Amino acid sequence: MKLLRYGEMGRERAGLLDEQGRIRALPESLGDLAGDRLTPQGLAEIAALDSNALPVVEGHPRLGSCVARPGKFICIGLNYRAHAAESNLPIPAEPVVFGKWSSAVVGPNDDVEIPRGSEKTDWEVELGVVIGTRGRYLTEAEALSHVAGYCVVHDVSERAFQMERGGTWDKGKGCDTFGPTGPWLVTADEVGDPQNLRLWLEVDGKRYQDSSTADMIFTVAELVSYVSQFCTLEPGDIISTGTPEGVGLGQKPPVYLRAGQTVKLGVEKLGEQTQRMVSAG
């Protein structure tokens, strides 16, 4: 299934994408795409519906984040071999973990704000993993059974805030609008092997990133297991699994985003995003 949220910001409703590419409204009685709705039981209730009997949503409504109110937005850094190389950094012995704040989460096609004082706002296409079953101290063999599905994440990053201002990476990663998520959550059964997905990103039509999740240093199963050693994973939590080579910081000379530019990105089987870069008010 491809699950999504549509409507005005803050007033989104849950829906699904049918086989003809039309949005179908899910019954309001099922609630939003958050928490228990993303558990195996919650997803089974949606799967049991006759999608052809659900009302078609007319027009082209705005899409919100495909997960409502993620409890945790956990991100992984330097998780592609070629990206570590372009960053002139060694392969990490363990996953690099940081977080995004909830105000970073926006819809897949919403505007992305370049923060005040930013000169080094950068792009990062990533595979997002959505947790569906609560788990702690998971083994790698157990990990994928706790995944509800996958989505596209744009891990927008301000490099000066991230690396030149002291402290942790978080303040360069968690700025408002820095976490476009969606367009839809694709259930794990439909995606199959998460280590064989192509992902790409373009700025104003120029392709900078074009790689595969096969280049990951730590697999999705390894990451889910690893993160669960430090916190309990809950349904609706998101793990963004790192970006491949081709970020702005890695260009020679570096290239950064400016207001007025358009960024397009996607992950195989998971859809595409398009964002306009704007200056923060």
Side-chain angles (χ1 to χ4, degrees):
M1 293 185 294
K2 293 182 175 68
L3 304 177
L4 54 89
R5 300 171 64 250
Y6 66 94
E8 297 176 14
M9 189 175 294
R11 301 179 62 185
E12 295 93 343
R13 287 192 53 185
L16 61 78
L17 198 72
D18 69 16
E19 293 182 357
Q20 288 73 45
R22 297 172 297 188
I23 297 175
R24 299 273 185 166
L26 290 175
E28 290 192 46
S29 61
L30 292 181
D32 213 341
L33 298 180
D36 289 346
R37 180 49 54 200
L38 300 177
T39 64
Q41 179 181 350
L43 293 176
E45 291 176 359
I46 297 176
L49 299 172
D50 179 3
S51 62
N52 292 322
L54 297 173
V56 174
V57 178
E58 301 295 341
H60 301 281
R62 168 191 172 269
L63 296 179
S65 167
C66 59
V67 177
R69 305 177 303 279
K72 293 187 283 294
F73 199 146
I74 301 163
C75 300
I76 308 299
L78 293 174
N79 193 37
Y80 282 71
R81 293 171 181 84
H83 177 49
E86 74 173 350
S87 302
N88 295 315
L89 293 169
I91 298 293
E94 295 189 32
V96 176
V97 181
F98 60 92
K100 284 186 182 287
W101 297 307
S102 58
S103 56
V105 180
V106 291
N109 303 316
D110 289 341
D111 291 347
V112 169
E113 296 182 355
I114 297 178
R116 291 183 183 179
S118 168
E119 296 181 352
K120 297 182 179 180
T121 296
D122 203 348
W123 58 81
E124 295 190 11
V125 61
E126 304 200 0
L127 169 67
V129 179
V130 181
I131 300 300
T133 302
R134 187 176 188 271
R136 187 183 185 197
Y137 301 129
L138 302 175
T139 66
E140 290 178 27
E142 297 171 321
L144 293 186
S145 68
H146 288 253
V147 173
Y150 302 91
C151 62
V152 182
V153 171
H154 188 184
D155 175 19
V156 187
S157 309
E158 211 299 337
R159 301 303 188 188
F161 296 179
Q162 175 189 354
M163 297 183 289
E164 300 172 21
R165 299 282 294 271
T168 65
W169 285 9
D170 301 66
K171 61 176 169 281
K173 294 286 194 170
C175 301
D176 291 357
T177 74
F178 270 25
T181 303
W184 37 75
L185 186 165
V186 184
T187 51
D189 61 304
E190 190 169 317
V191 174
D193 182 7
Q195 303 309 142
N196 187 32
L197 300 174
R198 180 169 163 260
L199 63 174
W200 57 271
L201 181 144
E202 298 175 349
V203 180
D204 287 345
K206 179 177 179 178
R207 183 154 297 195
Y208 284 95
Q209 294 186 281
D210 196 342
S211 186
S212 167
T213 56
D215 191 46
M216 280 186 182
I217 297 165
F218 303 102
T219 66
V220 170
E222 289 173 316
L223 293 174
V224 172
S225 172
Y226 183 84
V227 172
S228 77
Q229 309 306 308
F230 304 100
C231 65
T232 299
L233 294 172
E234 303 278 1
D237 288 348
I238 298 173
I239 301 175
S240 196
T241 56
T243 199
E245 77 279 9
V247 299
L249 178 64
Q251 306 303 308
K252 300 185 187 308
V255 177
Y256 296 112
L257 293 166
R258 305 182 307 276
Q261 291 188 303
T262 298
V263 180
K264 293 185 178 182
L265 59 147
V267 179
E268 183 181 358
K269 300 183 180 181
L270 306 182
E272 301 180 0
Q273 302 181 354
T274 300
Q275 294 120 26
R276 182 171 61 104
M277 306 303 298
V278 300
S279 297

